[in-house]
């Protein structure tokens, strides 16, 4: 079980590297969907099955993560991507080589800092994987121009928070997770509508171009 948990946490960190280095939106959506599925199955490998079978809250939380983060939200983003007619993030604020380097350094720093934490009963890679996922989500939100990619950043950010709660066995983590998930679900709905409207009106979905909007004659 411990080996499987380590592999899942390592996969989280690998996905962060792939997200930072990929320009294809469909590939990025699939990577975030994979995080959702891994987040749903992780508790199954962390549970002490010798102590008994987990309750309904456990199974419901896993199902919600897989169904919503692994299927529903990615499908919504793929539909928004097709409606907007965009396939790649072509001009990020931070280049892909630099992005990969920054995320790699962030992951290494998280691993180094986690060594100073004395946590019993917690997987070694739990804190570094969660911190790296949160940082990757924030970095994507800041460094990417496309609204869809920024929505992916929000999802990755939320996945990192949820991963931290699952790995640390936080009390009431289920209710916190549902609250954050509801916020992210509403966000993706709004972002999907915004992507469609921005694409229809301005023939692109570069969020930073909205800064050029003005109601004065000089801006026309």
């Amino acid at each position: 079980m411990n080996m499987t948990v380590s592999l899942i946490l390592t996969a989280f960190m690998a996905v962060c590297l792939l997200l930072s280095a990929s320009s294809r939106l469909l590939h990025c959506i699939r990577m975030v969907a994979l995080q959702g599925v891994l987040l749903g199955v992780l508790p199954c490998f962390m549970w002490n099955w010798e102590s008994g079978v987990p309750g309904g809250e456990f199974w419901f939380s896993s199902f919600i993560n897989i169904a919503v983060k692994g299927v529903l939200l990615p499908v919504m983003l793929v539909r928004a991507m097709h409606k907007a007619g965009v396939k790649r993030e072509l001009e990020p604020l931070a280049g892909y080589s630099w992005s990969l380097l920054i995320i790699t350094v962030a992951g290494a720093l998280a691993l180094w800092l986690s060594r100073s934490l004395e946590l019993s009963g917690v997987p070694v890679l739990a804190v570094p994987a969660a911190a790296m996922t949160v940082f990757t989500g924030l970095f994507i939100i800041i460094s990417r121009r496309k609204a869809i990619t920024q929505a992916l950043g929000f999802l990755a950010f939320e996945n990192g928070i949820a991963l931290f709660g699952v790995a640390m066995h936080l009390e009431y983590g289920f209710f916190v997770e549902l609250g954050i998930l509801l916020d992210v679900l509403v966000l993706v709905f709004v972002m999907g509508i915004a992507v469609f409207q921005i694409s229809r009106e301005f023939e692109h979905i570069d969020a930073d171009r909205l800064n050029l909007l003005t109601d004065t004659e000089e801006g026309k």
Side-chain angles (χ1 to χ4, degrees):
M1 287 294 183
N2 291 333
M3 179 62 68
T4 305
V5 171
S6 297
L7 289 175
I8 292 176
L9 295 174
T10 302
F12 262 93
M13 302 178 76
V15 167
C16 291
L17 296 176
L18 292 174
L19 282 174
S20 66
S22 178
S23 64
R24 299 186 61 181
L25 293 181
L26 183 59
H27 179 70
C28 292
I29 292 173
R30 288 172 177 171
M31 289 296 100
V32 174
L34 176 61
Q35 281 187 339
V37 174
L38 292 176
L39 192 60
V41 301
L42 177 61
C44 297
F45 294 99
M46 296 187 62
W47 183 265
N48 182 12
W49 292 95
E50 296 180 358
S51 63
V53 180
E57 179 183 303
F58 175 93
W59 297 111
F60 182 71
S61 178
S62 295
F63 172 77
I64 286 295
N65 279 315
I66 295 174
V68 176
K69 297 179 183 179
V71 179
L72 178 60
L73 295 181
V75 168
M76 290 173 57
L77 290 173
V78 169
R79 292 185 61 184
M81 182 190 73
H82 288 313
K83 287 184 178 180
V86 61
K87 295 181 179 180
R88 293 178 178 272
E89 177 84 41
L90 296 177
E91 298 178 352
L93 297 177
Y96 292 105
S97 297
W98 279 106
S99 297
L100 181 60
L101 177 61
I102 291 172
I103 298 302
T104 302
V105 172
L109 182 61
L111 282 170
W112 180 71
L113 292 175
S114 66
R115 293 182 178 180
S116 61
L117 300 176
E118 297 181 359
L119 301 173
S120 59
V122 177
V124 177
L125 295 177
V127 175
M132 188 174 178
T133 305
V134 168
F135 181 82
T136 301
L138 290 174
F139 180 78
I140 290 175
I141 294 170
I142 296 172
S143 64
R144 300 300 186 254
R145 298 177 185 270
K146 304 296 185 185
I148 294 178
T149 319
Q150 292 173 354
L152 288 172
F154 278 105
L155 287 177
F157 174 77
E158 200 277 333
N159 285 338
I161 296 176
L163 176 62
F164 182 81
V166 170
M168 300 293 291
H169 306 286
L170 294 181
E171 189 176 3
Y172 304 118
F174 169 73
F175 299 102
V176 175
E177 165 67 8
L178 284 184
I180 298 175
L181 181 59
L182 178 61
D183 292 338
V184 173
L185 182 61
V186 172
L187 169 69
V188 173
F189 270 117
V190 173
M191 290 292 284
I193 296 172
V195 166
F196 176 72
Q197 294 295 336
I198 293 171
S199 176
R200 187 177 67 176
E201 296 294 335
F202 303 104
E203 299 182 353
H204 62 77
I205 57 171
D206 292 354
D208 63 322
R209 296 284 294 277
L210 296 177
N211 295 327
L212 302 178
L213 294 179
T214 178
D215 58 355
T216 63
E217 292 293 333
E218 296 179 356
K220 296 181 179 180

